[in-house]
Amino acid sequence: MPVVAGLRKTGKHGWCTSSSCWLVARRWFSAQAAAQVRQGEVERQDVQVTKLPSGLTVASLENNSPVSRLAVIVKAGSRYENAENLGVSHCLRAFSHLTTSGATTFSITRGLEEVGASLETSTTREHITYSVQCLRDHLDTGVFYLRNVSTGQEFRPWEIADNKGRLLFDLACFNDQQQLGVMEQLHGAAYRDTLGRSIYAPEYMVDCFTTGMLTDYVKSRFTADNMALVGIGVDHNDLKAFGETFSVARGDTVDNKARYIGGELRDHCNSPLTYAALAVEGASLDSKDLLVTGLLQHMMGSAPYVKRGSNLATARTAQAAAKVTSLPHAVNCFNLPYSDSGLFGVFAITQPSDMAAVLKAVMSQFAAMTKGNVDAKELQRAKNQLKAAVCMQLESQDGLLEDLALQALHTGSYTGCADVLKAIDSITAEDTSRVAKRIFNGKPSMGATGNLVNTPYLDQLL
């Protein structure tokens, strides 16, 4: 039936001018316009990774976004500290806005504000990451400040003295969150040094940080072989040109291999709740079993898929905990891979009277998993959840930037989402049973804090 200027023929009754007819016409013209836009779309590019002559790794994804995201990632996390400079990586995070060789604190702050850009510094046990977000038109400005804060640090003594209050503020926030303290305890018990070192500076070290200490750490860790420059929404040739302006020296990689030891750390305090984390050594980032441990995590229960939780969840740990307590609680399985080791375990928050029963119930599920009693339906559900988690993380530009940075720095290449999904689909029930036996029969580690009156020790759990 022809549509002309919002009118349609209605047989012997003549023409109709109803709003529905007008909407049909409007959608028809919109569809034509959308088709024309699709024909003019720029073809999506793949991730490109290049090793510059200086030794710096450069990786980019041009997705034609109006916002560019750039990051410098450095192997300089807390695992590389020692007894003399304990907490220095925390300082670098807190002091990233201080005066550099090419820009003052005022210039960094106002310069980024003028172009609507933002600067963020984050640390993990293995990395320090400096990232900038800016409009594509102001990419040069973003790169200028990113280069300064990541390679031009000066650490002037009076600025360090004026900003030590930031460290104390971070520590106060950390001490107020017991769930963070439990994970720090767990890492300390599992590794003691290297990955066992906290990402927070101990309070007794706050007054010990000096210009010389910070400068020496930067010189030893901020070398071209330990760094990568990554970007999203930027042309690869432009990013390589930016990378060539970074003045970083070559440096040998210091052997700092993590050794999983296992152990237990507890902190009894006055609290209405009990917090506990129980783990074994999992898979590293370059392990062929990394995706299998991810699948095991979702089988055991990575997080509630219904907000506020539900006792009807299909995950094993959720069902086990729900059978031994009717009081509010939270039980989640975690999988933390690092470059040469990893932790796989469970985190629980319960009423003080319930922690013993919940931990024993969870341990029984770990034991059951080693027997290989995984049916096809449970395996497929876990695969769907793992694939959804991977896709959702990469759907976020921040998550994509982090993934790109980690892969470029540690492997010098990039494995795309499609290949990861194919690898997940190829995992079999035998694979999950094999990996479960290997990791769940290993030596456990435990961290606990809060009211620990009814929290068992490791030997009691085993």
Side-chain angles (χ1 to χ4, degrees):
M1 187 174 296
V3 179
V4 181
L7 305 178
R8 68 176 175 86
K9 184 69 174 176
T10 58
K12 63 180 180 179
H13 300 293
W15 295 90
C16 174
T17 58
S18 68
S19 60
S20 60
C21 302
W22 178 80
L23 287 174
V24 171
R26 183 177 180 182
R27 289 170 183 166
W28 182 68
F29 286 119
S30 298
Q32 282 188 320
Q36 292 176 357
V37 171
R38 284 193 295 270
Q39 291 175 359
E41 284 180 351
V42 179
E43 183 178 355
R44 179 182 177 85
Q45 299 184 19
D46 294 327
V47 171
Q48 299 183 63
V49 182
T50 302
K51 188 87 166 180
L52 297 181
S54 64
L56 181 69
T57 301
V58 175
S60 68
L61 174 63
E62 175 58 283
N63 61 357
N64 305 296
S65 169
V67 176
S68 295
R69 290 171 171 82
L70 304 174
V72 172
I73 183 171
V74 191
K75 293 180 182 178
S78 58
R79 70 173 293 171
Y80 300 103
E81 299 169 358
N82 54 48
E84 287 72 30
N85 61 15
L86 201 60
V88 66
S89 62
H90 183 187
C91 277
L92 294 181
R93 180 177 80 237
F95 298 166
S96 61
H97 65 289
L98 300 186
T99 298
T100 68
S101 57
T104 64
T105 298
F106 179 81
S107 173
I108 294 171
T109 304
R110 291 298 295 271
L112 290 171
E113 288 181 346
E114 288 293 332
V115 297
S118 62
L119 169 69
E120 180 179 349
T121 306
S122 60
T123 57
T124 66
R125 283 178 165 76
E126 296 197 288
H127 311 108
I128 295 177
T129 304
Y130 303 87
S131 59
V132 166
Q133 297 185 65
C134 61
L135 295 176
R136 184 184 288 262
D137 293 342
H138 301 296
L139 194 56
D140 290 343
T141 302
V143 171
F144 172 78
Y145 289 113
L146 179 63
R147 182 176 64 243
N148 269 277
V149 299
S150 61
T151 63
Q153 303 98 326
E154 288 193 342
F155 306 118
R156 300 180 178 183
W158 55 91
E159 289 189 331
I160 293 177
D162 289 343
N163 284 274
K164 286 182 178 179
R166 293 180 179 271
L167 298 178
L168 296 175
F169 177 80
D170 287 349
L171 291 176
C173 293
F174 165 71
N175 293 330
D176 198 41
Q177 301 181 68
Q178 290 180 305
Q179 60 268 34
L180 297 181
V182 166
M183 296 307 294
E184 295 296 332
Q185 285 180 326
L186 178 67
H187 282 81
Y191 297 101
R192 299 183 186 174
D193 55 11
T194 59
L195 292 173
R197 296 193 179 103
S198 174
I199 61 176
Y200 292 92
E203 190 168 346
Y204 68 83
M205 286 292 295
V206 171
D207 290 328
C208 300
F209 297 116
T210 63
T211 299
M213 181 190 296
L214 295 171
T215 302
D216 289 343
Y217 189 75
V218 167
K219 286 182 178 179
S220 66
R221 297 305 312 169
F222 284 55
T223 61
D225 301 288
N226 287 334
M227 302 173 67
L229 171 64
V230 299
I232 297 177
V234 58
D235 180 78
H236 190 66
N237 290 328
D238 291 341
L239 194 61
K240 288 196 298 182
F242 293 145
E244 291 170 354
T245 67
F246 280 63
S247 178
V248 286
R250 299 299 293 263
D252 297 331
T253 301
V254 179
D255 184 18
N256 189 256
K257 185 173 177 59
R259 293 186 306 111
Y260 180 87
I261 298 173
E264 182 175 11
L265 288 175
R266 299 163 68 94
D267 179 23
H268 183 84
C269 61
N270 184 20
S271 173
L273 297 173
T274 303
Y275 303 77
L278 185 67
V280 292
E281 186 174 19
S284 62
L285 286 171
D286 60 355
S287 171
K288 60 182 178 61
D289 293 329
L290 177 60
L291 290 177
V292 183
T293 57
L295 202 63
L296 286 172
Q297 178 192 11
H298 287 276
M299 285 184 180
M300 300 301 293
S302 62
Y305 286 85
V306 177
K307 192 172 183 179
R308 307 304 178 196
S310 171
N311 290 342
L312 302 178
T314 54
R316 295 192 176 203
T317 53
Q319 289 183 336
K323 290 179 181 178
V324 297
T325 177
S326 59
L327 298 175
H329 63 276
V331 179
N332 295 320
C333 188
F334 58 82
N335 179 34
L336 303 175
Y338 298 103
S339 60
D340 54 359
S341 184
L343 289 178
F344 186 100
V346 64
F347 178 82
I349 306 175
T350 70
Q351 310 297 321
S353 59
D354 291 338
M355 183 57 78
V358 168
L359 288 181
K360 290 178 181 178
V362 169
M363 290 290 287
S364 69
Q365 291 303 312
F366 280 11
M369 186 65 75
T370 63
K371 299 177 182 178
N373 54 346
V374 178
D375 58 40
K377 185 176 180 180
E378 182 183 21
L379 181 64
Q380 188 58 49
R381 172 184 58 78
K383 285 184 177 182
N384 291 338
Q385 291 175 348
L386 179 57
K387 290 192 291 185
V390 170
C391 292
M392 289 175 185
Q393 179 185 5
L394 299 182
E395 185 72 16
S396 161
Q397 296 293 294
D398 292 334
L400 180 58
L401 185 68
E402 179 185 4
D403 183 59
L404 178 59
L406 289 175
Q407 291 200 46
L409 182 62
H410 287 282
T411 68
S413 60
Y414 186 76
T415 301
C417 182
D419 293 330
V420 174
L421 298 185
K422 289 180 182 178
I424 294 174
D425 283 329
S426 65
I427 298 174
T428 64
E430 290 72 21
D431 292 330
T432 62
S433 177
R434 171 182 58 81
V435 175
K437 289 179 181 178
R438 179 180 66 81
I439 65 175
F440 292 157
N441 289 328
K443 186 176 181 180
S445 298
M446 182 176 175
T449 188
N451 186 336
L452 305 182
V453 173
N454 292 309
T455 301
Y457 287 83
L458 269 179
D459 62 320
Q460 296 172 311
L461 286 173
L462 299 176

